[in-house]
Amino acid sequence: MYLSNPTLATDETYVPGLSREYIAETFGLPVADVAKLGSAENPFGPSPMAHDAVSAALSQMDIYPNWTAEPLREKIAAKYGYRPDEVICGAGETEIISWIVRAFAGPGDGVLMYEPCFPMYHLSADAENRRCVYVKMGAGFDFRIDEYIAAMDETVRICFLTNPHSPSGILMDNDDIGRVCEAAGDRLVVLDEAYVHFSQTNGGMDLLQSFDNLIVLRTFSKAFGLAGLRIGFGIAKPNIIRPMLAMKPTWNMGQLQIAGGIAALEDDAHVDRTVAMIVEMRAYVTERLSRLNSFRMVPGSRSNFFLVECLDPAWDSTRVFEALQEKGVIVKDCSVSFRGLGKKYLRVDVSLQKHMDRFAAALSSLEDGGA
Ligand SMILES: Cc1ncc(COP(=O)(O)O)c(C=O)c1O
């Protein structure tokens, strides 16, 4: 009724993961026992260096930060081999995704993405009255690159890719990413690499050397363990960065974010330890779930989560999601959190062994207890 901007077409909002405290209170469990496996956070938390840097930056709370987070841009640029004017920082990747949709597509223009995909792509596009164009992934969550390229009609202005993909965790081939960039021409290709550390590859960032229509997004929320601080960044040619600088809320990054991000980039050992644990636990939980009959892990994840498919028609994803909560396990019900997956899938984080054990035992007990 009060909406005076007719291009703001939807009021659909993000569905967040549940909190440990909610589950502990609802089911009478100790908070520490709850396995929170629905938000792909780092169970080790942030680097102690980042923690100390944020504490030290509290003394700067009364001072406006640099409006482009320049010290952090410089650090990111030096770390990855780019210039500061090729870097933009946002309150998480999520903020940058919303600018991309506004800056690079007009009302009614197409925004291309896979189904399923990270919901912020279509939530941002729908909210701004851009037209979502979906390409269904293959049966094994393969990328069907020919179909993706064929969907680039003349209205499409932005093409979203996720590497590794969420929710499947499957890694894209750099040749395929290059084919998309080539075919996209003057459209913007957005390569979201929120989870790239867990693939133990460099992902597709080097393709920035070959393609001027590419922006690579990364986040501090996952391997760096700073989801609560809200830091993400994009790297692209300055002519892609500049329009977003012009439209972003001027002081979007505070002193604490700038200080924490810089320090996190200095602690490679923390990231390495995190990745090593995730890789080890991914193999561990793969083995444990291989013993089940009613459920199956979708193979091929190179991320810090994986999909579980319900094979027994008596169990749909919402029933499993609710039954796991009673056993102190939080996962993502894909029928609520991802478009196009129906009622068959759950997304589950890879985490500490005690959480993997709780999850595997809970799933197994559902199977044993029958529907
Ligand atoms: C694919 C993908 N990209 C980006 C993000 C969000 O990152 P940020 O916390 O930097 O906004 C997520 C968060 O879950 C994600 O799954």
Side-chain angles (χ1 to χ4, degrees):
M1 191 198 308
Y2 297 105
L3 202 61
S4 58
N5 180 349
T7 67
L8 295 177
T10 174
D11 58 3
E12 185 187 353
T13 56
Y14 181 67
V15 180
L18 299 174
S19 72
R20 267 202 182 90
E21 291 70 19
Y22 168 80
I23 295 297
E25 199 172 307
T26 308
F27 299 104
L29 299 164
V31 177
D33 284 2
V34 175
K36 185 171 187 285
L37 307 174
S39 301
E41 293 147 345
N42 185 337
F44 289 150
S47 151
M49 285 160 63
H51 193 276
D52 291 350
V54 169
S55 300
L58 290 173
S59 66
Q60 299 292 305
M61 258 199 304
D62 54 334
I63 308 295
Y64 274 98
N66 177 286
W67 77 277
T68 66
E70 193 63 18
L72 179 56
R73 287 172 98 193
E74 284 168 6
K75 184 80 190 174
I76 292 165
K79 175 103 183 163
Y80 295 102
Y82 292 87
R83 293 197 321 260
D85 65 350
E86 296 174 305
V87 178
I88 187 156
C89 298
E93 274 189 35
T94 306
E95 187 176 37
I96 303 174
I97 289 167
S98 72
W99 303 332
I100 287 173
V101 166
R102 286 166 62 203
F104 296 96
D109 283 347
V111 179
L112 184 60
M113 63 196 80
Y114 281 107
E115 188 180 82
C117 66
F118 179 45
M120 293 318 304
Y121 310 154
H122 55 74
L123 287 174
S124 292
D126 284 344
E128 302 278 355
N129 207 13
R130 277 53 168 170
R131 194 174 62 86
C132 294
V133 180
Y134 296 101
V135 176
K136 270 217 163 305
M137 301 190 82
F141 294 90
D142 46 295
F143 290 100
R144 300 173 75 233
I145 294 293
D146 291 338
E147 284 79 355
Y148 189 90
I149 289 174
M152 291 179 191
D153 64 30
E154 68 284 357
T155 74
V156 167
R157 301 304 314 148
I158 301 170
C159 309
F160 277 105
L161 300 173
T162 321
N163 187 44
H165 180 257
S166 174
S168 71
I170 293 176
L171 191 67
M172 294 195 81
D173 196 292
N174 276 1
D175 289 345
D176 285 342
I177 300 167
R179 280 186 60 204
V180 168
C181 293
E182 187 90 53
D186 68 356
R187 302 171 178 92
L188 182 68
V189 178
V190 184
L191 183 62
D192 175 351
E193 295 199 325
Y195 301 100
V196 73
H197 291 90
F198 306 110
S199 73
Q200 296 179 296
T201 74
N202 292 331
M205 196 183 269
D206 288 349
L207 292 165
L208 287 166
Q209 312 301 337
S210 314
F211 296 102
D212 291 353
N213 59 349
L214 176 64
I215 181 165
V216 175
L217 303 183
R218 301 258 176 119
T219 183
F220 285 74
S221 302
K222 308 300 177 183
F224 294 106
L226 289 167
L229 201 54
R230 310 307 302 134
I231 319 170
F233 64 93
I235 303 186
K237 291 285 180 289
N239 64 331
I240 293 174
I241 300 297
R242 240 179 283 117
M244 291 191 281
L245 287 179
M247 73 185 301
K248 82 176 181 67
T250 307
W251 296 280
N252 64 313
M253 303 292 292
Q255 302 280 16
L256 307 193
Q257 290 155 294
I258 295 170
I262 291 171
L265 286 176
E266 277 164 9
D267 195 352
D268 289 339
H270 184 74
V271 172
D272 292 348
R273 179 168 158 256
T274 299
V275 172
M277 182 277 289
I278 294 291
V279 169
E280 186 189 345
M281 285 301 115
R282 204 164 58 199
Y284 176 79
V285 72
T286 301
E287 201 283 317
R288 285 212 55 170
L289 298 193
S290 68
R291 303 173 206 163
L292 300 177
N293 298 310
S294 305
F295 306 101
R296 146 189 118 100
M297 177 193 276
V298 172
S301 173
R302 301 287 298 277
S303 193
N304 61 339
F305 50 73
F306 52 89
L307 283 174
V308 168
E309 181 179 1
C310 306
L311 300 174
D312 181 342
W315 284 108
D316 71 36
S317 60
T318 304
R319 272 198 73 200
V320 177
F321 173 70
E322 286 168 0
L324 288 177
Q325 281 176 43
E326 289 176 31
K327 296 173 187 298
V329 179
I330 305 169
V331 298
K332 257 191 176 15
D333 171 5
C334 292
S335 72
V336 175
S337 299
F338 295 97
R339 267 190 201 167
L341 272 187
K343 285 249 176 211
K344 268 174 64 174
Y345 294 96
L346 302 124
R347 199 192 79 175
V348 185
D349 298 347
V350 179
S351 187
L352 306 177
Q353 183 170 341
K354 66 175 181 177
H355 296 321
M356 296 294 87
D357 286 339
R358 179 178 271 267
F359 164 67
L363 203 57
S364 171
S365 75
L366 298 190
E367 179 169 286
D368 294 342

